[in-house]
Amino acid sequence: MIDLKYLQKNFDEASLTLQKKGVEAETLQTLQGLFADLKQANQALEALKAEQNSLSKLFGQHKRDGKDTTVLKSELDGLKESIVPLQERAREAEEALYSVALTIPNFPDDSVPKGADEAENVEIRKVLEPRTFDFVPLEHWALAEKNGWIDFERGVKLAKSRFSVLRGEAARLERVLINFFLDANAKKGFIEQSVPFMSNAAMLQGTGQLPKFEDDLFKIEEENLYLIPTAEVPLTNLYHDEILKAEELPRLMTAYTPCFRKEAGSAGRDTRGMIRQHQFNKVEMVAIAHPDSSDEIFDMMVENASDILTALGLPHRVVELCGGDLGFSAARTIDLEVWLPGQNKYREISSISNTRDFQARRAKIRFKDGKKNRLVHTLNGSALAVGRTIVAIMENYQNADGSIEIPEVLKKYM
RNA sequence: GGACAGUUGGGUGAGUUGGCUGAAACCACACCCCUGCUAAGGGUGCGUGCUCGAAAGGGUACCGAGGGUUCGAAUCCCUCACUGUCCGCCA
């Protein structure tokens, strides 16, 4: 959630900044109005409550002293009655405020490039030269068929479309990649965690998936739980509603989890192959950081993910997202896009974001800064998406006969 | 799934004949003093959110969550969640 007090004091600036993310000034006007309403409603209510409290105290005293209380009682009865509508008004004002506030995206950093969509993202650098093929490289789904690696049909039979089954070497490669990623992250100081793959609504609100993006989540109705769309949710919320000591920062965490997404709104996109599945595996990094060091940690996370791709010998590029392509919670995001020779294009394989205090405010994650409690910064990033790494290995390491080499660094794991 | 018990501040834990308890005491922690050596003594401070205030300080809310009774609830009632124990079931 954005800082409403900041919005109130710096409306024009804030409104300009959020334009980058496509938020209308009008919406912010409304929000500001609701914030003022709530304040006013609370002030009126609290004044009466104060009176009620002190008179009730007096009432008790009179009772004990055996004094007459009939006058006080009728006064209090009147007060009580006049409090009811104020209470209702305050409740409504709060509801109205949050129903809007929770749907406003984070402020992008000043450094974020302007732009409407992914076409205007900015390439920062390329790493590794794509190899040249003396044959026409195949797409991964064709290679999967040749090698019997992926059973798309039976995945659909077991669940529904956008589910698949990995077989033999491919299944093993998946397991090996997870280990490789976790080990690499551990070397950078990320502590491995094994977390629930389901999450309750409060946690999902903490990281920003709810209430706005409920349609993207698989929900278990009877239990009031959701399948996690990313390990960012459990990892970040590990410290939900906690106050950490300054010296406990940063907390660096990593976890392997499957991720579940309905992919609502991407109908027809990437339907062939395993680029976009309802369930995919991912190893995630999350950092809970002191505000002063979140930029430094962000760079470290980008470097870590990029280094992993380099170690796998996978050509990729580092891309800074423009305002229009930035996610809801992110102040800044760098994507790593891996080269897919079969598709002849770069495709996202990792996304690293600094959400600043946006998630921390929702999830109430603070730290003691001397006497005061301050919001932490939270960061998250994939290192890496497992399924897409398999796709990248297949396409980049394919031979003319359709067989696939295993990258050197993975051989000791296989 | 069934039965019973419980859920208070960083921890242990009082308070459950409703008011003087936002919360005793102890521990932990921070600062200060004494002392002078590996141990101890004394003092002060020490929950969170919102809000008013330049600050000092004040108001309000929170004793698992939500609702109810009442002039007034940590204390009474209802619903739910969670924890513990026993039974059942089970990888």
Side-chain angles (χ1 to χ4, degrees):
Chain A
M1 202 164 80
I2 60 168
D3 184 349
L4 294 173
K5 275 186 252 178
Y6 172 81
L7 178 72
Q8 196 176 41
K9 285 188 190 128
N10 311 277
F11 186 82
D12 293 336
E13 193 188 331
S15 155
L16 206 64
T17 312
L18 275 175
Q19 259 174 37
K20 275 201 216 170
K21 277 210 177 174
V23 177
E24 313 260 343
E26 204 179 303
T27 311
L28 292 178
Q29 254 347 322
T30 308
L31 183 64
Q32 201 183 20
L34 291 171
F35 186 45
D37 284 350
L38 176 62
K39 251 189 190 180
Q40 204 181 30
N42 272 336
Q43 266 164 30
L45 174 66
E46 281 173 18
L48 283 197
K49 286 266 201 178
E51 199 180 339
Q52 185 186 43
N53 284 343
S54 71
L55 286 186
S56 282
K57 209 166 237 179
L58 194 65
F59 186 98
Q61 231 162 53
H62 281 197
K63 269 278 192 218
R64 252 172 288 131
D65 300 346
K67 288 190 193 158
D68 179 56
T69 55
T70 47
V71 179
L72 253 187
K73 172 87 164 79
S74 67
E75 210 171 323
L76 274 161
D77 284 339
L79 243 185
K80 191 184 184 183
E81 225 167 288
S82 52
I83 280 175
V84 172
L86 286 184
Q87 198 134 37
E88 185 60 14
R89 190 183 141 212
R91 221 209 68 236
E92 278 167 8
E94 189 171 339
E95 213 165 271
L97 174 67
Y98 283 103
S99 73
V100 175
L102 287 171
T103 64
I104 305 293
N106 196 5
F107 293 114
D109 282 0
D110 290 338
S111 63
V112 168
K114 282 213 177 75
D117 53 39
E118 71 179 299
E120 295 182 75
N121 291 344
V122 177
E123 179 181 303
I124 296 172
R125 60 177 177 274
K126 283 197 167 88
V127 183
L128 298 183
E129 190 67 27
R131 74 180 253 222
T132 49
F133 290 85
D134 48 15
F135 57 93
V136 179
L138 297 175
E139 293 207 42
H140 76 278
W141 46 264
L143 292 162
E145 197 175 313
K146 283 199 169 199
N147 291 278
W149 273 22
I150 309 176
D151 190 336
F152 292 108
E153 291 76 16
R154 286 196 263 254
V156 174
K157 176 170 77 178
L158 291 175
K160 61 182 276 191
S161 64
R162 290 192 192 276
F163 284 90
S164 57
V165 175
L166 294 185
R167 192 156 51 202
E169 189 88 351
R172 191 132 52 94
L173 179 59
E174 174 174 65
R175 175 158 52 88
V176 159
L177 281 171
I178 291 166
N179 285 336
F180 175 63
F181 294 159
L182 286 169
D183 287 350
N185 293 344
K187 277 182 198 138
K188 293 285 164 69
F190 291 89
I191 310 292
E192 186 175 340
Q193 323 267 333
S194 178
V195 296
F197 300 159
M198 297 182 199
S199 177
N200 61 41
M203 301 303 116
L204 284 153
Q205 185 175 101
T207 30
Q209 285 76 18
L210 289 179
K212 206 175 178 184
F213 305 103
E214 173 139 31
D215 290 349
D216 294 329
L217 300 170
F218 283 103
K219 184 175 188 185
I220 300 157
E221 289 289 347
E222 324 76 71
E223 292 289 344
N224 235 325
L225 289 170
Y226 298 80
L227 296 177
I228 56 169
T230 159
E232 169 197 339
V233 174
L235 287 180
T236 307
N237 282 298
L238 233 29
Y239 296 101
H240 190 105
D241 201 14
E242 291 194 23
I243 301 171
L244 299 164
K245 295 188 184 117
E247 57 268 27
E248 289 178 305
L249 300 175
R251 310 238 65 151
L252 303 179
M253 299 163 275
T254 185
Y256 148 72
T257 71
C259 303
F260 303 91
R261 299 184 185 177
K262 280 203 175 164
E263 295 296 341
S266 48
R269 290 172 63 195
D270 304 311
T271 46
R272 185 141 205 194
M274 54 178 293
I275 289 286
R276 196 175 298 277
Q277 299 272 288
H278 285 313
Q279 175 185 327
F280 62 95
N281 289 308
K282 182 157 63 66
V283 173
E284 183 79 357
M285 312 174 271
V286 163
I288 307 286
H290 190 289
D292 294 345
S293 61
S294 74
D295 286 316
E296 193 183 313
I297 290 168
F298 181 79
D299 292 341
M300 181 272 277
M301 288 166 70
V302 172
E303 191 178 280
N304 180 234
S306 174
D307 286 351
I308 291 172
L309 283 169
T310 304
L312 288 168
L314 294 172
H316 57 283
R317 57 175 194 165
V318 179
V319 174
E320 171 105 41
L321 298 200
C322 70
D325 200 27
L326 222 47
F328 179 75
S329 297
R332 187 191 170 192
T333 297
I334 282 188
D335 274 7
L336 266 41
E337 298 181 347
V338 70
W339 175 247
L340 296 183
Q343 287 196 13
N344 196 36
K345 61 169 94 145
Y346 285 96
R347 293 296 307 249
E348 178 188 337
I349 194 165
S350 171
S351 189
I352 295 130
S353 299
N354 188 347
T355 80
R356 305 279 171 203
D357 61 10
F358 184 82
Q359 290 180 327
R361 184 171 294 106
R362 290 174 160 246
K364 305 190 195 81
I365 309 173
R366 296 92 92 208
F367 72 101
K368 275 264 179 256
D369 188 21
K371 274 272 182 193
K372 282 226 184 302
N373 297 323
R374 277 178 71 192
L375 295 169
V376 299
H377 280 192
T378 64
L379 305 93
N380 62 79
S382 12
L384 297 169
V386 179
R388 289 190 181 183
T389 305
I390 294 173
V391 168
I393 288 172
M394 291 171 80
E395 294 199 9
N396 282 280
Y397 282 85
Q398 61 180 295
N399 298 315
D401 64 358
S403 62
I404 297 155
E405 301 290 330
I406 297 297
E408 200 54 41
V409 282
L410 296 182
K411 284 190 175 152
K412 61 171 181 282
Y413 283 87
M414 291 294 282

